[in-house]
Structure formats: C-alpha cells, structure tokens
C-alpha cells in the first residue's frame, strides 16, 4: 500500500458513511447486505464485514437480530453548559446550569464510604486506602439520562461534619463550594480535564447508548489552598451532547 492509500474496508466504509450523511441511506433504512457490498464494491466478504464493523463502531448503524443492519437515527447534539462555579443560591452547578439553559433536570444519587484507590488517592493528594465518600449520580433531562458523575471526597475533610453526605443534611444538594464553606473550607480553585474514550458497558447501559459509543469525560477537582477537597468523573454521551464552556474573563 503506497502512502496516502486507505485499506479497502475503510474506502467502503467511507463511501457508505457519505451516503448516510447525505441522506442517500436515511435513518431506519437497511444497510446493504454483506453480499451486496461485496458485489457493488468488488471486495471480499472480509472487507465487507470490516466496513460494516467500522460503521457500527461509529454509531451510524445498528444490528437487529434476525433482521439485518439499519441506519440509526442521528440525534441533534444538545449543549451542556459549563459556566463556572457560582457560590450561594443553594443549588449545585448542574441545577444552576439547567436553570440558565431553561431546562428541567433531575438526578438520583447514592453515597457510600470506601477506601481510596491509587488513582483517586493521587488526585486527592491522600494515601491509597484512606477513607473517602463516594457518591454516584445519574442526571436526567426530561426523564432521559444525560450524564453520569462519580465524586470522591476525603473523609479527613468532611467526616463527622454536617456535609459528610453530599445529598443529605441541611446543605444536601448544594454545590461543593457552598458545602465546604459551611465547614470553613474555602474552595478557591477548580481544575477540569476533558477527554474522550469508549464508554464502559455499565455507563452505556445507564445512558442508553450502544456498545462502542464514545463518551466525553470531565475529570474535575476542587481545591482549597492547594488541597484537593473533591474530585469527580463526569461522563457524557458524545453523540447526544456537547460541553459548552462560558467562562468570565478577569
């Protein structure tokens, strides 16, 4: 293969992808069979199969048992606004951002204590095995799961305080900044790293995605005078949402 040439299966996948994008193969249309692809493009069964696998991995088509492979509906991506971290108001950032966007969001959560893994300990600046409060969230918009989040807070900071459980007590449901302020911990910095990866099976099951779909992951950590007081992984399905940042210029 000379420089610039693509393998045959990628050329076939590219042509089929173009037909899907331009509407020649509209949603709910059956993708040409493996035999049809082989005949139309003059390729082997292996090439035809690999081309179909590419389109499946990209989330453009889906297999239906006993029926074939069909073009999927292409959702119009919606925005998840990230507009900084405002104090006061008695609401967490998700609720604030949903209000700002005129959306109606709800969430479910579950908290439990555990020992910090090596990765979480490094992010929090504690020792592996130190106790943390882990809280898992499922966020919904109009009843549809839109975002997952798992947060960890060192119990050396919040243990035996009114804010030990993020969603319970007098400040339950408030943001990290306000909850920490209630125990005289002043959050003065937050870092977010945004990346993408294939979704884990349990994540896609919770989000209603297809195996192989890509998710965006926001790794967020709150700091107070250089000490990490909370870290979290926020997971968003990349085919349905875009993360939009609106940050003030100081």
């Amino acid at each position: 293969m000379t420089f610039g040439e693509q393998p045959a299966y990628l050329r076939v996948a590219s042509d089929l992808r173009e037909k899907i994008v331009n509407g020649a193969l509209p949603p709910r249309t059956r993708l040409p069979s493996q035999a049809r692809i082989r005949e139309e493009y003059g390729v082997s069964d292996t090439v035809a199969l690999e081309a179909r696998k590419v389109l499946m991995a990209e989330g453009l088509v889906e297999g239906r048992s006993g029926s074939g492979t069909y073009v999927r509906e292409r959702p119009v991506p919606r925005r998840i606004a990230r507009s900084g971290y405002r104090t006061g108001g008695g609401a967490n950032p998700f609720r604030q951002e949903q209000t700002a966007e005129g959306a109606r969001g709800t969430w479910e959560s579950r908290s439990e204590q555990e020992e910090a893994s090596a990765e979480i300990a490094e992010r929090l600046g504690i020792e592996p095995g130190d106790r943390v409060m882990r809280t898992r969230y499922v966020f919904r918009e109009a009843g549809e799961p839109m975002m997952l989040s798992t947060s960890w807070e060192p119990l050396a900071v919040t243990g035996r305080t009114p804010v030990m459980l993020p969603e319970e007590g007098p400040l339950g449901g408030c943001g990290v900044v306000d909850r920490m302020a209630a125990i005289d911990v002043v959050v003065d910095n937050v870092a977010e790293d945004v990346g993408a990866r294939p979704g884990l099976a349990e994540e896609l099951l919770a989000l209603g995605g297809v195996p192989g779909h890509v998710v965006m992951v926001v790794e967020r950590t709150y700091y107070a005078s250089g000490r990490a007081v909370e870290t979290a992984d926020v997971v968003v399905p990349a085919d349905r949402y875009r993360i939009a940042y609106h940050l003030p210029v100081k």
Side-chain angles (χ1 to χ4, degrees), residues 69-130:
T69 304
Y70 291 79
V71 178
R72 296 182 67 240
E73 292 277 2
R74 300 184 66 203
V76 177
R78 286 172 282 174
R79 294 193 317 153
I80 294 178
R82 308 289 287 176
S83 52
Y85 296 88
R86 293 159 282 182
T87 60
N92 64 20
F94 174 76
R95 180 177 287 170
Q96 291 175 344
E97 289 158 3
Q98 287 274 299
T99 299
E101 292 291 306
R104 298 181 62 184
T106 60
W107 68 90
E108 306 162 10
S109 67
R110 179 179 178 181
S111 296
E112 57 187 348
Q113 295 186 35
E114 67 176 18
E115 295 182 354
S117 66
E119 177 191 357
I120 296 305
E122 182 178 1
R123 286 163 58 171
L124 289 172
I126 60 178
E127 293 296 320
D130 284 357

Side-chain angles (χ1 to χ4, degrees):
M1 183 174 66
T2 61
F3 180 77
E5 288 185 354
Q6 285 185 318
Y9 77 95
L10 288 181
R11 293 199 302 272
V12 173
S14 178
D15 188 69
L16 291 171
R17 184 189 304 112
E18 178 63 24
K19 291 179 179 179
I20 292 171
V21 171
N22 66 24
L25 287 172
R28 299 183 296 278
T29 299
R30 192 173 187 273
L31 194 72
S33 66
Q34 187 169 313
R36 178 73 179 274
I37 293 174
R38 182 190 64 210
E39 295 170 4
E40 183 175 344
Y41 293 94
V43 296
S44 66
D45 282 332
T46 299
V47 168
L49 177 60
E50 290 301 315
R52 288 154 61 92
K53 286 182 179 179
V54 168
L55 298 178
M56 282 189 175
E58 293 175 351
L60 294 174
V61 300
E62 60 184 354
R64 299 179 187 174
S65 180
S67 179
T69 304
Y70 291 79
V71 178
R72 296 182 67 240
E73 292 277 2
R74 300 184 66 203
V76 177
R78 286 172 282 174
R79 294 193 317 153
I80 294 178
R82 308 289 287 176
S83 52
Y85 296 88
R86 293 159 282 182
T87 60
N92 64 20
F94 174 76
R95 180 177 287 170
Q96 291 175 344
E97 289 158 3
Q98 287 274 299
T99 299
E101 292 291 306
R104 298 181 62 184
T106 60
W107 68 90
E108 306 162 10
S109 67
R110 179 179 178 181
S111 296
E112 57 187 348
Q113 295 186 35
E114 67 176 18
E115 295 182 354
S117 66
E119 177 191 357
I120 296 305
E122 182 178 1
R123 286 163 58 171
L124 289 172
I126 60 178
E127 293 296 320
D130 284 357
R131 303 295 291 177
V132 295
M133 183 65 72
R134 182 192 67 199
T135 304
R136 289 177 169 157
Y137 296 87
V138 178
F139 295 93
R140 302 179 188 278
E141 181 181 17
E144 175 185 310
M146 61 175 292
M147 183 167 64
L148 306 176
S149 177
T150 304
S151 71
W152 297 266
E153 295 180 352
L155 287 173
V157 175
T158 62
R160 298 184 180 181
T161 74
V163 300
M164 185 174 74
L165 292 168
E167 295 296 321
E168 296 182 22
L171 291 177
C174 291
V176 173
V177 176
D178 288 335
R179 289 176 47 250
M180 293 296 167
I183 57 173
D184 298 323
V185 175
V186 179
V187 174
D188 53 19
N189 191 23
V190 59
E192 290 193 351
D193 289 336
V194 183
R197 59 167 171 75
L200 303 178
E202 57 267 28
E203 292 170 341
L204 296 174
L205 179 63
L207 292 168
V210 174
H213 271 193
V214 172
V215 295
M216 293 177 286
V217 181
V218 180
E219 183 183 300
R220 180 198 69 207
T221 305
Y222 286 95
Y223 296 91
S225 300
R227 180 185 187 182
V229 297
E230 190 255 21
T231 193
D233 287 334
V234 181
V235 178
V236 180
D239 64 328
R240 286 182 284 161
Y241 292 93
R242 298 289 181 267
I243 299 177
Y245 283 84
H246 299 274
L247 304 177
V249 176
K250 297 183 178 180

